[in-house]
Amino acid sequence: MKVLLVDDGGRKFAALRAFLAGRADMASVELSAEENGHSASKAMRTNRYDLLILDILLPWRAGSGPSIQGSLNLLDSITSEAGLLAPRQVVGLSADPQAAADAAPVFSANTWTVLQYDETSSGWMEAIAASILYLAAQQAGPPTYHTDVLVLTALREPEMSAVHRLPWAWQSEQPLDDATFIRRGSFRSGAETFSVVTAVAERMGMVSTGVLAAKAINHLRPRYCVMVGICAGLEAETRLGDAILADPAWDYQSGKRIKETDGSHVFKLDPHQLPISQFVRSRFKQLALDKDLLETIRRSRDDDPGHDLRLLVGPMATGSAVIADPEIIAKIIDQQHRKVIAVEMEAYGLYAAVNNAGAPKPTAFALKSVSDFADAKKEDSAQRYAAFTSAKLMQAFFERYMPELRNLAGS
C-alpha cells in the first residue's frame, strides 16, 4: 500500500510515520513525502499511490509560500493530466477551518475527504489509517472462503468420535485460539480434494454452539458449517437411528413472560424459525431415495436396532434442556409446529450464528440421528449407532455432491 504525504513541513510526516509504525495492521504501508505540489505531480508520473494526503495550504513550487492554490493546482493535475498516475483516494488536511471550507467543494465533487488537522490529537491519523484499511480491503477483492466444510458437534463422545472415524485424512489436534482446538482433514469428491475442519463445543446447548460457530466461522471462513450428532425423535414419526435434517430449526422456549391484569402469569411464545437452503434440502431428499446406501450404512454396524435406516427431512425444535417428558413434546407440536419430528439442544444456535455471519456467508445444516424418544425410557444404548449414521450420511452427502455444492455456498 503506497501512501504519499504532501506537506511543506516535516512534523505531519514524522507523526504519521511513527503512528503507522506502531500498528501491526499498517506493516505493508510505504509512506513517502513531498514538500510542494510540483514535486508531488512529478512523483505521480512514475508512481501510482493508493492514497494521497494533501496539506490544503501548500506551496506549488520550492521557495514559494503556502496557499490553497498550491493544493488546487495539484488536484487539477490529478484530474486533467493524462501522463499522471492518479491516486485511488485523496485526503486533505488543514488546521485552518476557512481553508478547509474553501477547498471542500473540489474535494466533495471528487468524493474525496477533508480532515481537521490538530497536532495535539491523533484523530486525523486514525482517520487516515481507516482509509488505508478500506483501500486495502478493496484491493484484496471480496472476502473468500478458506475452508470447505466445518463440522461441529456438542459431544466429543460419541458424536465427534464418529466423525473422526470417517476416512478423511485427519491430522492431530491443533489450537484455533487459546480456548478451542480443531482437527483438520480432507476428503475426495470426484477428482478433487476438499478441506474439512472439526471442533467440539465446550458444552451442550444453543449458547455454546452459537459461540463456537461464530468464532470458527470468523477464523476459518467455511463454505459449509454443519452439525452432526444425536437427537430425540418423535416416536410416532421416527425410529432409532433415523437421520433427520433439521428444516426448519427454532428455539421452542423463546418468548415473553407477562403478568395479566388478573394476576396470572402467562408465557407468550415467540419462536423464530430458520430454514436451510433449498439446494441442500433437495440433495438430501435425493440421498434419502438411495436405499442401497442406507442399507450399506446400516449393515456396517453390528449394533443396528434391527430395522431399515431412513433419512428424513423435517422440523427440529431446539431447547436448553434434555427432555424426558412426552408432554413437553406434545405442547411443542400443539403450540408451535404440528409437523415436529425431533427435538435437541443445538441446531438453532448453529443456524442463528450462520444467519448473522458476514461475508463470505457459509451455508448451514444440522443432521442428527435419533437416539431416544424424549421419554422416561431414555437411555444411552442407541447413541453410538445414531452418531454413526449421522456422520456417515454427512460423509455421503459431501462426497457425492461437493463439486456442484461449492459454488452454491452462501446463496
Side-chain angles (χ1 to χ4, degrees):
M1 179 69 63
K2 301 185 70 171
V3 178
L4 176 63
L5 172 62
V6 188
D7 176 43
D8 61 331
R11 285 185 298 181
K12 294 186 182 71
F13 178 77
L16 184 59
R17 181 173 58 183
F19 178 81
L20 297 179
R23 291 184 49 153
D25 55 359
M26 296 289 118
S28 64
V29 175
E30 299 177 30
L31 179 64
S32 56
E34 296 291 341
E35 294 186 348
N36 58 72
H38 186 259
S39 64
S41 65
K42 289 180 63 177
M44 284 188 282
R45 292 182 185 280
T46 55
N47 296 279
R48 185 180 294 280
Y49 296 98
D50 297 287
L51 177 63
L52 170 66
I53 306 166
L54 179 62
D55 191 337
I56 289 176
L57 294 176
L58 183 72
W60 174 241
R61 291 183 180 273
S64 62
S67 69
I68 190 173
Q69 194 58 47
S71 62
L72 294 180
N73 286 345
L74 180 56
L75 296 178
D76 182 64
S77 298
I78 290 171
T79 57
S80 63
E81 289 190 23
L84 192 145
L85 303 174
R88 295 170 57 202
Q89 181 60 281
V90 179
V91 171
L93 282 178
S94 181
D96 185 335
Q98 187 58 53
D102 291 343
V106 176
F107 277 83
S108 61
N110 292 280
T111 67
W112 297 332
T113 303
V114 177
L115 299 176
Q116 179 71 35
Y117 170 72
D118 181 353
E119 66 178 353
T120 67
S121 169
S122 64
W124 64 279
M125 293 183 287
E126 291 169 354
I128 287 171
S131 295
I132 291 171
L133 290 176
Y134 176 76
L135 290 169
Q138 284 188 320
Q139 194 173 46
T144 59
Y145 296 109
H146 295 167
T147 306
D148 291 308
V149 179
L150 170 65
V151 183
L152 307 180
T153 67
L155 299 170
R156 190 170 295 276
E157 291 287 347
E159 295 176 331
M160 188 54 78
S161 291
V163 174
H164 287 156
R165 280 192 287 270
L166 300 176
W168 279 5
W170 300 109
Q171 301 174 16
S172 300
E173 281 195 330
Q174 63 184 83
L176 179 68
D177 58 18
D178 292 341
T180 302
F181 279 76
I182 61 172
R183 285 187 73 175
R184 295 182 182 274
S186 62
F187 62 91
R188 298 278 294 176
S189 180
E192 300 178 79
T193 300
F194 297 91
S195 60
V196 59
V197 176
T198 63
V200 182
E202 285 293 313
R203 57 186 301 161
M204 297 167 65
M206 281 180 286
V207 174
S208 184
T209 293
V211 169
L212 174 62
K215 175 168 61 175
I217 289 167
N218 183 57
H219 279 273
L220 301 169
R221 293 188 179 179
R223 295 178 188 276
Y224 287 86
C225 186
V226 308
M227 190 164 213
V228 295
I230 61 177
C231 66
L234 184 65
E235 191 166 13
E237 303 292 338
T238 65
R239 299 182 300 210
L240 291 178
D242 283 351
I244 299 173
L245 180 67
D247 184 28
W250 71 97
D251 177 3
Y252 66 79
Q253 296 169 318
S254 177
K256 182 179 181 181
R257 297 188 182 276
I258 63 173
K259 186 176 182 179
E260 299 283 19
T261 55
D262 62 0
S264 62
H265 294 271
V266 178
F267 181 62
K268 299 286 189 180
L269 295 168
D270 185 24
H272 176 221
Q273 297 185 358
L274 290 172
I276 63 171
S277 297
Q278 180 60 36
F279 64 83
V280 170
R281 180 189 178 99
S282 64
R283 283 163 179 78
F284 267 109
K285 281 185 169 290
Q286 286 294 312
L287 204 64
L289 299 175
D290 190 338
K291 303 303 181 183
D292 290 339
L293 168 68
L294 296 172
E295 183 65 8
T296 298
I297 292 174
R298 184 183 74 84
R299 287 185 175 276
S300 64
R301 296 278 296 199
D302 57 11
D303 59 349
D304 73 271
H307 52 247
D308 293 345
L309 172 63
R310 298 182 300 178
L311 171 56
L312 308 176
V313 179
M316 185 178 289
T318 301
S320 59
V322 175
I323 298 178
D325 184 353
E327 291 186 9
I328 295 178
I329 303 295
K331 287 182 179 179
I332 296 172
I333 295 170
D334 181 58
Q335 299 174 2
Q336 298 188 23
H337 203 307
R338 64 184 178 86
K339 294 185 178 181
V340 169
I341 59 174
V343 294
E344 51 79 70
M345 298 175 62
E346 292 85 25
Y348 178 77
L350 171 71
Y351 287 15
V354 169
N355 189 58
N356 288 282
K361 189 182 290 293
T363 295
F365 66 81
L367 180 68
K368 295 197 171 188
S369 294
V370 176
S371 64
D372 62 79
F373 300 111
D375 55 23
K377 297 180 290 185
K378 197 176 188 69
E379 56 184 61
D380 297 339
S381 59
Q383 286 188 357
R384 292 191 178 280
Y385 177 70
F388 166 76
T389 62
S390 171
K392 290 298 289 184
L393 283 166
M394 176 198 66
Q395 175 192 6
F397 175 79
F398 281 121
E399 291 185 357
R400 182 172 297 189
Y401 298 119
M402 193 61 188
E404 62 192 78
L405 288 170
R406 174 176 46 207
N407 295 328
L408 294 173
S411 61

